[in-house]
Amino acid sequence: MLGFFKKKNAESLPGLLTTKAAQKGIKPTFYSTKVLEVRRETADCVSVALEIPHPEMFSFVPGQYLTLKTQIQGAEVRRSYSLCSSPLSGELRVAIKQVEQGVFSTWANTELKEGDTLEVMPPNGQFALEIDSADRQTYVGFAAGSGITPVMSILKTLLERAPEAKFILFYGNRKTHSIIFKSELEDLKDQYMGRLEVHHVLSREDQGNDLLYGRIDEARAAKLAAHIPGVKDAAGHFLCGPEDMIHGVTAALTAAGVAKSAIHFELFTAATPAAAAPKTGATSARAESYVTVILDGEETHFHQGPKDFVLDAALDAGADVPYACKGAVCCTCRAKVLEGEVEMAMNYSLTDQEVEEGYVLTCQTMPRSERVRISYDD
Ligand code: FES
């Protein structure tokens, strides 16, 4: 079994900065924390600063997210929100945009206040940039709406930590007043003169430039890549927004010659999780599988049907397995298949390599063999 948490790499990193390697072994369990500040960013978005429950476990790589948990009207609600602060600042701050019928986001925007207590899991996520202080390359961000949150953390950290690196940001919103972090971005442009370019793309406000009037879609991304120097040749492209933007920008960048390995993306919404409908196949007729899940070295055994997801079945069986979105986006429910065959309905967050190594999103995983053994500890 892995240790509860590991020490950071030999190089001592400033503030809350860490590496993904140093995060290995940190368990996705909840810690109680206090809300230090709720700051209104726009009419429908607040940023929330949290007390740091444990600096070693809550250090993060810019671009990562926190999973928060609370009780709202008697029901437990969990959501993942990206960190918008730079780890160099030593601040743990997420941004929460109110979404229509969003239980947690509405509560956070209307009721959450300084001094309240929240449950929080250590930072997690693969959408992140590990920054070398000697890096002299250019990076590009495409963000829409609250998709700016992880990109903000990445660009702030890059500009501060790598004095010769540059960042080009394309940020889509409806109108000027809906731009989250507008004044902070302007301040950063002044502070890091010539190293940060910000292009606001507005869909309902004509800025007098056709290139920046509309939505960030494939055609616009293709034009931006063709006309803005540095975009095609950047060392990394970070895309965060709705699915159609991610697909459109990815298609435009790859058509412009950008390697797929340089394109990183994070969805902030996923399609409604598909009902667990198993695809056809000989094994789909199996009535039940005998499933074992391992968490913190403890085994939980249960029988489940082929249409049920392992995460739900494990929760029903009393295992306190980690999850947040249940929609294939956040990766909190990641675990490794040690034995047996499974099938995933959706995957928006595991890399191809992780899938090859046997990792699955248990919120999307259905058993396809008589026995299945899955570990959250690997
Ligand atoms: S709970 Fe978010 S991906 Fe499974």
Side-chain angles (χ1 to χ4, degrees):
M1 195 177 125
L2 291 164
F4 191 60
F5 64 86
K6 287 187 178 174
K7 290 207 181 315
K8 287 181 185 179
N9 287 347
E11 186 204 352
S12 168
L13 296 168
L16 289 174
L17 189 63
T18 191
T19 61
K20 286 188 208 163
Q23 288 178 319
K24 278 223 165 90
I26 293 179
K27 296 288 174 197
T29 44
F30 283 102
Y31 296 81
S32 275
T33 189
K34 281 246 170 325
V35 173
L36 298 177
E37 188 193 21
V38 179
R39 186 163 74 204
R40 182 138 301 279
E41 301 288 350
T42 63
D44 59 0
C45 178
V46 289
S47 69
V48 179
L50 300 170
E51 209 169 64
I52 299 156
H54 190 301
E56 194 86 44
M57 279 185 278
F58 278 80
S59 289
F60 62 101
V61 186
Q64 291 189 314
Y65 63 84
L66 293 177
T67 299
L68 306 177
K69 181 172 84 170
T70 194
Q71 295 278 330
I72 300 174
Q73 293 179 343
E76 181 189 296
V77 187
R78 303 174 178 210
R79 293 290 184 276
S80 296
Y81 292 103
S82 294
L83 287 147
C84 57
S85 50
S86 157
L88 302 174
S89 69
E91 193 184 41
L92 207 57
R93 182 183 285 272
V94 294
I96 304 176
K97 183 172 177 178
Q98 189 170 356
V99 295
E100 215 176 309
Q101 298 184 327
V103 176
F104 195 107
S105 67
T106 300
W107 174 81
N109 270 267
T110 54
E111 291 181 45
L112 186 66
K113 57 185 187 314
E114 182 187 330
D116 285 354
T117 300
L118 279 175
E119 298 287 304
V120 59
M121 259 188 213
N124 199 350
Q126 301 299 323
F127 182 79
L129 178 62
E130 306 217 32
I131 298 161
D132 187 320
S133 53
D135 196 340
R136 309 169 82 166
Q137 305 176 97
T138 296
Y139 293 83
V140 172
F142 283 89
S146 59
I148 188 63
T149 313
V151 177
M152 194 70 181
S153 179
I154 290 171
L155 72 85
K156 281 196 287 192
T157 315
L158 180 80
L159 294 169
E160 183 176 347
R161 184 153 169 79
E164 294 188 64
K166 293 183 182 169
F167 200 94
I168 302 170
L169 172 66
F170 300 102
Y171 184 14
N173 280 286
R174 286 184 185 170
K175 294 185 167 201
T176 305
H177 67 73
S178 55
I179 299 174
I180 306 168
F181 306 129
K182 181 171 182 295
S183 56
E184 194 177 351
L185 283 166
E186 276 161 17
D187 291 348
L188 286 166
K189 271 201 318 187
D190 292 343
Q191 188 182 346
Y192 298 104
M193 199 79 78
R195 296 180 49 219
L196 173 63
E197 265 179 49
V198 180
H199 302 275
H200 289 293
V201 181
L202 301 178
S203 60
R204 304 235 181 118
E205 196 177 300
D206 190 351
Q207 305 173 82
N209 180 346
D210 284 352
L211 199 54
L212 303 177
Y213 185 30
R215 295 167 77 92
I216 301 180
D217 54 14
E218 183 176 347
R220 191 168 311 280
K223 284 186 197 155
L224 293 169
H227 289 98
I228 310 283
V231 174
K232 280 187 291 192
D233 309 318
H237 298 76
F238 290 84
L239 285 42
C240 188
E243 204 170 348
D244 51 355
M245 186 202 90
I246 303 278
H247 290 319
V249 176
T250 301
L253 290 177
T254 46
V258 175
K260 274 227 163 106
S261 58
I263 303 171
H264 314 272
F265 67 87
E266 179 154 276
L267 291 164
F268 62 56
T269 52
T272 309
K279 293 184 183 128
T280 53
T283 53
S284 64
R286 183 179 304 289
E288 282 202 322
S289 299
Y290 180 70
V291 180
T292 301
V293 297
I294 305 161
L295 177 69
D296 293 337
E298 239 178 68
E299 296 192 356
T300 305
H301 310 273
F302 48 89
H303 288 94
Q304 73 166 96
K307 294 187 180 183
D308 300 328
F309 292 129
V310 168
L311 177 83
D312 294 325
L315 289 167
D316 286 348
D320 192 17
V321 287
Y323 70 92
C325 72
K326 285 195 176 182
V329 174
C330 74
C331 210
T332 310
C333 65
R334 173 186 183 267
K336 191 170 188 177
V337 177
L338 304 180
E339 182 191 333
E341 301 294 319
V342 299
E343 181 178 333
M344 264 196 293
M346 294 194 296
N347 169 29
Y348 294 112
S349 48
L350 290 173
T351 62
D352 292 348
Q353 192 184 335
E354 285 176 302
V355 173
E356 257 169 47
E357 288 170 1
Y359 287 99
V360 289
L361 301 172
T362 52
C363 72
Q364 301 297 318
T365 297
M366 297 162 283
R368 291 290 177 264
S369 58
E370 195 182 337
R371 296 177 83 87
V372 171
R373 198 172 163 82
I374 294 184
S375 172
Y376 288 86
D377 294 343
D378 286 80

